[in-house]
Each structure stands twice: as structure tokens, then as C-alpha cells.
Amino acid sequence: MSKSAGTQAEGEEASRPEPRPGPARRWAAIGTSGLALLPLALLGAAFWIGRLVRPGGDDWCFLPVVRDGGASGMIGKFFLHDNGRIANALLVIAYGAFGVPGHQWFALVSGVLMLGILWALIASALKRAGLTAPRGLALLVGATTAALLFLATPNPYKAFYWPANSVSHTVAPVLACAAVIPLLRARTRRGRDFALCVAYLAGMFIGTLSEETAIVAVVVLAAVLLLSRWALPGAGRTRTRVWCLVAFAGVAVGEAILYLSPGARFRRGRFGADSTSMFGPEALTAALRAFVHVLVTVFTTWQYLGAVAVGVLLGLLVRGGERGTHGPDGSLRRRPLLLVLVGFLAFLVSGYLCVVIAYPAFGASAGTASRIWGDFLLLFVLFLVGTGALLGRALRAGRRGIRAATAVVAGVVCAAACAGLAVPLLRLERQMDVRAQRWDRQDRSLREAAARGARVLPYTPVSVSGMLEPFGDHGRRAWPAKCVAQYYHLEKITHSTRLP
């Protein structure tokens, strides 16, 4: 078929009206829409709790720089002194420019953005594969994925609510997913060219935002190149491979800019990453032990079964693709174990490499510092969703009663996972509320005393969820005391055990 004929066929297929859904499809749409309210309600509560966030840890050092030096000061701090992450500096400016309110709005703005990206990603993938789904199903999958990414980790505060960490390890992998959407939506030459531009620019952005997300992206791109041999027809295979190579080039350029920056060299020297190779046998073995601890924690977190459950619903309820040649329902439909194996290996390889590059800075705590796991946990959740979808597709060959019972069980598991995430979230809300009240009280006292001309003032540590505060570890750890003093225009703060 000629290119023009193919384009005409695509246009006719796109313009063909969809058949009216029957009673079963209408009930499926009602059920999935109703079930989607559970993760959406959970996310809504999480976004509302974000109003209780107050600066802590690295935020103390970012806020004075943004306030006094503006965007150039923040970019210079990251690129020249801290770590070289220019894109990270831009995101810090985006919320840090608003001061404390920026931290309070961060969970809502970033959460809605990430939820929208995941929703659009699922819907675009279904459309590209020629599959139709009941209304609300793509939203259910996207919302459940977001809820698990934000809240299923051992420390949701650091993973989702702490802006300084979230932009690097939670927002970053979701932004990487956003770069795939133009490729899935492209139907014309102009659309495919736009997708290539997005892939390159997004790759550069991710490369200067998060080394860990960049590693995950490279591993996933390699897996897609491998699977494209079986998953796509000739023209589609070529376009996908070109897109992957362009995205890889963008990541490589971004990583080169980051690695050669003065800030990255300073950071490597500070943690001894130059003198002791992170890829030496001892370092690799220690990182492997840490990664095994990560796997034990992740695999024993039962709430992740919610991802499998929504995947099963996805496989059971979508229609189309049985005889197609595009997407996962093409020749790969006959090799589901290959998809599962490659996806699981991609998760293991990328997760381990993330721990390897984080080990010089975190040491043995890389296996317990769950805040840095988000880069590869999103891939894990999407892998579980995909595995569940393959299982659901396989179960469609069974009797109607078996399919209905499976859908009910999957819905119950999804609801249970949401409930399991809600209980610790409510406990975290109480802790954050206490901290917010104490932080606000001390903030007013320090500002009033500084306005009266005080130069040295006492400070009482006010922490939540293991956040670093000045004079932690019973007063023995001073960091970031200098940053707190700078924030309040003081010369020095001293340790106190009593709130003003």
C-alpha cells in the first residue's frame, strides 16, 4: 500500500463512527467510573494535605538563593557548586519563587500534572493499539498508578510532599513518560517530526534533571528497541527505532552537560566518587546488597497488587486488537512471557544501576532511602499494570461467569489497595499538621525578633518523617543551620529545646 493510501485509510478509520455500546459496555463504564472515584478521592485528600507542607532540609538553602539571587543565582548554585542539574534548578525556581506558599501548592500542582500525564499516556497507548475501553477505565488506571507512585513508598512525605526530592525522583520519571505521548498520538509526517523534537528536548531535560531517571530512560529505550522487532510492522518499527535513537541522543547530551559541569565535579569529589570507582567490585557488591533490600521492601508492599488489579480490569474490558498487527496485540500477543520477561529485566537492571550511582552519596542507606526509589518505581508500577493487562486478556477466553468474577475480585483488590494507602496518609496528615503549627509559630517569632535587630537567635528543630532539620541528632548535627540563619537574615542560630 502506498503512503498516501495508508494515510487515507488511517483518516477513514479515525473518522468512522464507533458503534453504540451495548448494556454490558454501559455497565462496565459505570463500574470503572465508580471505581475510579476511589483513587481519585485518595489523591484529592493527598493534594489537600499538601497545604500543611513547610520548608525543611534542602529547602532552607534553596529559598534564600531564589529570593536574593533570582533564577540566575539558583542556576549558578546548581551548575557551579551543587550537582550540575540545570533542569532541576529550573523546577526549584518554579516553586521556590513563591516562598512558603510555593511549597504548600506544590503537591496540588505537581500531583495534578502527573495524574494528567499518566491518564493521557494510558489513553494514548490504548488508542495507538487500536483498542477501545469503557469510559473511566484509562482514568482509573492512571489514578491508581499515580496513587501508588506517590503513597506506596515507605516515606510518602519525602517522595511526594518534599519538593526538593520530588522534582528529582517523582516528577522526573513522569515527565519522561510525557515525552512518549506525542509519539503515540502522531498520525502525520508533521506529528512524527514534532514527536522527534519532543524526544530530543525531553531527553536533554531529563539528562540535566535526574541521573537516575536518565538511566531508567536509557534502559527502557533499549528494551523498546529490542521488542520492536516483534511488536511493530516495517514502517512503524523504523519510526519507533528512530524516535528511540533521537531520545537516547537527547539523554546523552543532557548527561554530558551535567557530568562535565563544575557542580557535578565538585559533588563527585565531595563523595569520593572520583578516587574510588563506583563500578569497582566492592562498590558493585555493596550496591547489590542495598538493592536486594529495596526489592524485599517493594515486593512485600501488598498495596502494589492494586496495579495488577487495574491491569486485569484493563485486559478484561478493552476491545479490539485481536487480529491487529500493531502494538502489544500484534505478533507479541503470541509471546506474552517475552513481554513480561523483558519488562521485569528492565526494572531490575535500571533499579540496580540507580542504586549504583546513588551509593557514593548515600552509602548503605541507599537501600533504605526510599525517597530516591521513585525513578524506577514508576517503571515497576507500569510493569505490574502491563502484566495484569496480559493476564486479563488471557482470561477473556474463559466463560462469562469467570470473567465477571475476576473483574469483581480485581475491583475489590483495587479498593483495598486504596484503603491501605489511606490509613497511613491520615496518620501523616496529623503529623504534618502538628509540624505546620509549630513551624508557623517559630517562623513568626524569628521574623519578629530579626525585625527588632536581633542577630543571633535560638532555633528548635521541627521535623516530620525523618526530614533533616538544624541541630538534629540531639543537637549534634548543625546542617542546615547556616541556611536557616540566611533565610531569616541572621548571623547565626543556636540550638534550643523549647519553642518560642
Side-chain angles (χ1 to χ4, degrees):
M1 181 184 294
S2 66
K3 182 177 178 180
S4 58
T7 304
Q8 181 179 359
E10 289 181 359
E12 292 176 354
E13 181 179 354
S15 61
R16 187 180 301 146
E18 296 183 1
R20 294 187 61 183
R25 299 292 285 172
R26 287 197 292 269
W27 280 111
I30 293 173
T32 54
S33 299
L35 190 59
L37 294 177
L38 296 178
L40 288 175
L42 181 65
L43 290 172
F47 298 163
W48 172 247
I49 292 171
R51 76 192 189 283
L52 302 174
V53 173
R54 298 296 185 274
D58 291 354
D59 300 327
W60 286 118
C61 298
F62 295 163
L63 286 173
V65 175
V66 175
R67 179 194 63 198
D68 301 334
S72 60
M74 194 72 239
I75 294 174
K77 172 179 172 60
F78 272 64
F79 186 75
L80 300 176
H81 304 292
D82 284 3
N83 47 40
R85 301 172 186 163
I86 302 174
N88 199 316
L90 295 175
L91 294 183
V92 171
I93 293 166
Y95 70 83
F98 299 96
V100 176
H103 292 68
Q104 295 172 310
W105 282 88
F106 178 82
L108 173 62
V109 175
S110 66
V112 170
L113 173 65
M114 289 187 283
L115 172 60
I117 289 173
L118 293 172
W119 181 11
L121 176 68
I122 301 299
S124 300
L126 291 176
K127 185 175 182 180
R128 186 66 181 184
L131 301 170
T132 58
R135 290 185 183 275
L137 184 57
L139 178 58
L140 169 63
V141 177
T144 303
T145 301
L148 291 170
L149 176 65
F150 302 160
L151 306 175
T153 64
N155 195 329
Y157 185 90
K158 288 186 176 180
F160 178 56
Y161 290 110
W162 183 23
N165 177 80
S166 182
V167 296
S168 299
H169 303 291
T170 305
V171 175
V174 180
L175 290 180
C177 289
V180 184
I181 297 175
L183 174 66
L184 296 174
R185 292 284 182 177
R187 293 293 185 273
T188 64
R189 176 65 180 272
R190 182 175 298 179
R192 290 190 287 271
D193 291 343
F194 176 74
L196 291 176
C197 293
V198 170
Y200 184 76
L201 295 177
M204 285 187 60
F205 190 85
I206 293 299
T208 56
L209 173 62
S210 171
E211 297 96 317
E212 291 82 1
T213 297
I215 283 179
V216 176
V218 169
V219 173
V220 171
L221 290 171
V224 172
L225 285 173
L226 173 64
L227 290 175
S228 65
R229 175 182 178 184
W230 299 281
L232 298 168
R237 182 189 305 125
T238 301
R239 288 194 291 266
T240 300
R241 288 179 173 179
V242 170
W243 186 91
C244 289
L245 293 175
V246 170
F248 179 83
V251 173
V253 170
E255 277 294 295
I257 294 173
L258 188 153
Y259 184 82
L260 297 175
S261 68
R265 290 199 299 269
F266 175 77
R267 190 171 188 267
R268 291 194 296 270
R270 182 158 54 114
F271 293 113
D274 285 334
S275 58
T276 304
S277 174
M278 68 178 69
F279 295 105
E282 293 183 2
L284 292 176
T285 301
L288 180 60
R289 287 195 295 266
F291 185 56
V292 169
H293 187 278
V294 173
L295 293 180
V296 171
T297 303
V298 172
F299 291 161
T300 55
T301 302
W302 68 268
Q303 288 89 345
Y304 285 119
L305 290 175
V308 180
V310 296
V312 170
L313 289 173
L314 185 65
L316 284 173
L317 299 177
V318 295
R319 294 291 183 269
E322 285 80 359
R323 297 182 180 178
T325 58
H326 299 276
D329 283 307
S331 59
L332 273 179
R333 185 169 61 89
R334 299 184 294 273
R335 301 181 177 91
L337 291 181
L338 178 62
L339 269 174
V340 174
L341 177 61
V342 172
F344 188 62
L345 287 177
F347 161 67
L348 291 179
V349 171
S350 60
Y352 173 59
L353 291 177
C354 286
V355 174
V356 167
I357 66 172
Y359 198 85
F362 288 86
S365 64
T368 57
S370 59
R371 69 181 182 85
I372 64 173
W373 301 352
D375 304 272
F376 54 87
L377 279 185
L378 176 59
L379 177 60
F380 177 66
V381 175
L382 293 176
F383 163 75
L384 292 180
V385 172
T387 302
L390 291 175
L391 178 60
R393 294 286 279 183
L395 292 174
R396 286 183 56 187
R399 296 180 179 179
R400 179 179 299 180
I402 295 177
R403 297 199 303 268
T406 302
V408 170
V409 172
V412 170
V413 172
C414 180
C418 292
L421 295 174
V423 173
L425 180 63
L426 293 176
R427 289 199 297 265
L428 178 60
E429 179 188 21
R430 289 192 289 270
Q431 298 169 6
M432 291 171 62
D433 189 28
V434 171
R435 196 234 178 188
Q437 294 181 36
R438 293 177 177 176
W439 195 96
D440 291 342
R441 174 180 170 184
Q442 183 162 237
D443 178 66
R444 287 192 297 269
S445 176
L446 290 171
R447 289 183 182 279
E448 291 171 357
R452 292 194 297 267
R455 307 306 301 161
V456 179
L457 290 173
Y459 181 88
T460 303
V462 181
S463 184
V464 63
S465 295
M467 286 290 297
L468 291 180
E469 279 286 293
F471 313 115
D473 193 18
H474 304 288
R476 290 189 289 270
R477 185 180 61 231
W479 190 89
K482 291 183 179 179
C483 297
V484 175
Q486 183 182 2
Y487 178 71
Y488 289 108
H489 301 285
L490 301 172
E491 294 179 359
K492 182 181 179 182
I493 60 171
T494 58
H495 182 228
S496 174
T497 58
R498 179 180 298 180
L499 283 169

